[in-house]
Every structure is written in structure tokens, then in C-alpha cells.
Amino acid sequence: MSCGEKLAEEIRGKGFRVTPQRGVILETIAHMGGHLSVPEVFSAARDRLPGLNITTIYRTLETLHRAGMVDLFYSGSGPTRFALRDPDQAHGHLVCSECEQVMDIDESLIAHLAEEVVRETGFSIDPHHLTLVGVCDDCLSEGKRRIS
Amino acid sequence: MSCGEKLAEEIRGKGFRVTPQRGVILETIAHMGGHLSVPEVFSAARDRLPGLNITTIYRTLETLHRAGMVDLFYSGSGPTRFALRDPDQAHGHLVCSECEQVMDIDESLIAHLAEEVVRETGFSIDPHHLTLVGVCDDCLSEGKRRIS
DNA sequence: CTAGTAGTTGCAATAGTTTGCATTAAGCAT
DNA sequence: ATGCTTAATGCAAACTATTGCAACTACTAG
Ligand SMILES: [Zn+2]
Ligand SMILES: [Zn+2]
Ligand SMILES: [Zn+2]
Ligand SMILES: [Zn+2]
């Protein structure tokens, strides 16, 4: 069973239909890996399934996101990016607004943050691809800008 | 001195030029208040200054953001929103991905979170309009969806 | 296997955002 | 006041994202 087929079974299990388009899109993002934009997924998936429309990519990724299989990742600049979720390892990102650098946050720190928020507010943060914007160590010490 | 003029002085102090467009845009967002989208600011500001181009709104808000006078607020759906920064009270938002509800986070909780992150990673989170996506108390107890 | 239902797709129109470039004008120095 | 320098604006085009609707098809029930 290919990884596309495995993912197809997973979305069927969540009550969504398995279509050729969804099969190809899942296969594509699984093989490309990483953090992809819709146009990137589109041009790769269209090669496997001519006639595929870019609207279908947007809608499929939204569906997969609601199904918990794909994460959104918006860094504050450029197009929104999507990534296949790794259920075993929830990572997040720190985006420096000065140098555009993107760092990873590891799972345990995210878990601590989420714990504090849920205790204070009752709100459960989604630990997958938690994205925080600020200023990195380097940029802060270079004094390019003070955050007020 | 109107609030628009006061803000104009502030951006001049940060090294940016004061133009009629910027004066009108500042006056407009100060009087409208709240969390505004670019199209909203545009249609209001254009009434005061005919000929104003929407591109100028985008660029001015980006400039004001870099100057620390305006915050970005992207909730994961709809257009990006902007708000005049209140330097005395940094608030943030919790966005429920189930019911679209937006709650406020108060400053002290944000300060705690930022402290934990900077201690672990050296990264300084911008406390203004910190926005976290997840599931609210109500939606979680109603079991509309489990977060994995 | 067949028919019905409802979720999904493609297409076109629309909305929101960014970029390049020529023109204009704010702030500064004389 | 006058001219210089460079930031800022307007405009057009490209890019990114969303929505409405008709046609289609995956799934289910019989
Ligand atoms: Zn940086
Ligand atoms: Zn990631
Ligand atoms: Zn909710
Ligand atoms: Zn706010």
C-alpha cells in the first residue's frame, strides 16, 4: 500500500470521500515533503492528473486540515504553507520579523505553553505548527530594532 | 492637536516622512478603532482623500507595523486585520478553529509565555496581538472534534 | 447491480495582496 | 526661497485566495 493509499484510507475513515484528485494530492504532498504552498502542490499534482484545478487544491488542503492531517503555517509574509502532519511529533516555528529566519520549536516547550494557556483560560492550543512571531537572539543583540 | 496629527509626529520621529496620505490613514484608523482590514480602511480613507490608492494603504500599514504603531492580526480565515497599537496594554487573541470565536488574552499571561520562550530559545516574542489557534472550552466539551 | 443522495469538482467571477516602475514630493542643505 | 536626494505614491500587472453554481461521481441503501 503506497503512502497515498494509506492516507486515502485515513480520510475515508474520517468520513470524507476518496476521489482521484485527493489521492493524487495526498501522494504529491507526501512525496514532496516539507512546507508547501498551494501553487507548488498544484504544479506538481497537475503533472500526475491533467485537468486538475487549483481550486481543488485549496479546498482539499482545507478539508485535510479540518481532518487533522495537514497543518497550516502562515509566517506573516508570502503565501500560506501546508505540511503533512506528523502525529508523533508536533513541532512549531519561531519567525523572526527582522531577518525572516524560521526556527523550530520543539514539542516539549509547546506542551508547556499549551498547558499554561489551558490552565489560565480553558483554551486548548493546537500544538501542531504553532507559529510565533518576534525577534531572534541575533537580531536583538545587533539592536536592529527594539520591540516595545 | 488631533489624534491624527499626534500620530503623524510619532512617525516623523521614527524617521518616516509625513504625507497627506499617511495623515488621512492614521486619522481614519484612529477614529474607526478596532481590528480593521485594508479594504475597510481604504473605503473610509478614500472619502477623505479622493484619488487615494489601495496599494498605499497596504504599504502604509506595513510601514506603521515596522514602526511599531500598528499590529497585524491574522486569524486563519478572512483578510488580515490591523489595529492601532496600545503601548500600555499588549493584548492577544485566542481563535477557536471550531466556532470562529475570538477571545482576548491578557497581558500578564502573554508575558509569562514570552518569558518561557525567551528563556528556552533566546527568541523574543512580540507580545502585541499574539494570536493562538486552537479549540475553546465550549467546543472541546461539546466534543465537536478532538485535537490530536 | 441500480438508483438516489449528497459531497466533490471544474469553471468563471470576484476579492485580497504583492510587485515593478515611472512620477511626485517631503525633508534637508544651501 | 531653491534645488537636491531619496522616500513615497499611483498605476498596471501579476499573484494568491475565496465563492457561487452547474455538472459530476463516490458512497449507500435497497
Ligand atoms: Zn532575526
Ligand atoms: Zn513546520
Ligand atoms: Zn469554539
Ligand atoms: Zn486585538
Side-chain angles (χ1 to χ4, degrees):
Chain A
M1 193 191 251
S2 75
C3 40
E5 285 166 343
K6 199 164 63 183
L7 292 165
E9 282 311 309
E10 194 175 340
I11 87 170
R12 197 196 311 274
K14 304 213 180 194
F16 297 99
R17 293 187 183 170
V18 175
T19 65
Q21 289 86 345
R22 288 179 177 173
V24 165
I25 292 168
L26 284 166
E27 195 85 31
T28 301
I29 61 179
H31 279 95
M32 292 179 82
H35 302 78
L36 305 168
S37 69
V38 167
E40 284 166 1
V41 174
F42 177 55
S43 67
R46 188 181 37 184
D47 293 343
R48 295 176 179 224
L49 189 67
L52 182 62
N53 193 283
I54 195 170
T55 306
T56 302
I57 313 283
Y58 281 104
R59 287 198 274 227
T60 298
L61 286 175
E62 165 63 19
T63 298
L64 294 172
H65 175 62
R66 274 185 298 159
M69 295 171 63
V70 157
D71 298 314
L72 266 74
F73 165 58
Y74 180 62
S75 73
S77 69
T80 300
R81 292 185 169 275
F82 301 83
L84 210 52
R85 177 174 294 188
D86 179 352
D88 299 326
Q89 195 186 3
H91 75 282
H93 294 286
L94 298 171
V95 180
C96 177
S97 56
E98 291 303 312
C99 64
E100 308 275 292
Q101 180 188 180
V102 178
M103 286 156 282
D104 284 1
I105 320 177
D106 72 80
E107 196 164 10
S108 63
L109 176 53
I110 295 177
H112 278 135
L113 300 175
E115 200 178 300
E116 188 163 355
V117 172
V118 76
R119 188 175 60 235
E120 297 290 325
T121 67
F123 186 92
S124 300
I125 292 175
D126 183 349
H128 293 277
H129 271 89
L130 173 73
T131 299
L132 300 171
V133 178
V135 179
C136 74
D137 212 351
D138 296 341
C139 291
L140 202 63
S141 58
E142 285 173 26
K144 287 179 185 171
R145 179 183 153 215
R146 279 169 303 130
I147 64 171
S148 56
Chain B
M1 191 194 254
S2 74
C3 40
E5 285 165 343
K6 199 165 62 182
L7 291 165
E9 282 312 309
E10 194 176 339
I11 87 168
R12 198 197 310 276
K14 304 212 181 195
F16 298 100
R17 292 183 184 173
V18 175
T19 64
Q21 289 86 347
R22 287 179 177 176
V24 167
I25 292 168
L26 283 166
E27 195 85 31
T28 302
I29 61 179
H31 279 94
M32 292 179 83
H35 301 78
L36 306 168
S37 68
V38 166
E40 283 166 2
V41 174
F42 177 55
S43 67
R46 187 181 38 183
D47 293 342
R48 296 176 178 222
L49 188 68
L52 181 63
N53 193 283
I54 195 170
T55 305
T56 302
I57 313 282
Y58 281 104
R59 287 198 273 228
T60 298
L61 286 175
E62 165 64 18
T63 298
L64 295 173
H65 175 60
R66 274 185 298 158
M69 296 170 64
V70 156
D71 298 313
L72 266 76
F73 166 58
Y74 179 62
S75 73
S77 69
T80 299
R81 292 184 168 275
F82 301 83
L84 212 51
R85 176 174 296 188
D86 179 353
D88 299 327
Q89 196 186 2
H91 75 282
H93 294 288
L94 298 171
V95 181
C96 177
S97 56
E98 290 305 310
C99 63
E100 308 274 292
Q101 183 188 179
V102 177
M103 287 156 282
D104 284 0
I105 320 178
D106 71 80
E107 195 166 8
S108 62
L109 176 52
I110 294 176
H112 277 134
L113 300 176
E115 199 179 303
E116 188 163 354
V117 172
V118 77
R119 189 175 58 237
E120 297 290 324
T121 66
F123 187 92
S124 299
I125 292 176
D126 183 349
H128 293 277
H129 272 89
L130 174 72
T131 299
L132 300 171
V133 179
V135 179
C136 75
D137 212 351
D138 295 342
C139 291
L140 203 62
S141 59
E142 284 174 25
K144 286 180 186 171
R145 178 184 152 213
R146 281 171 301 131
I147 62 170
S148 56

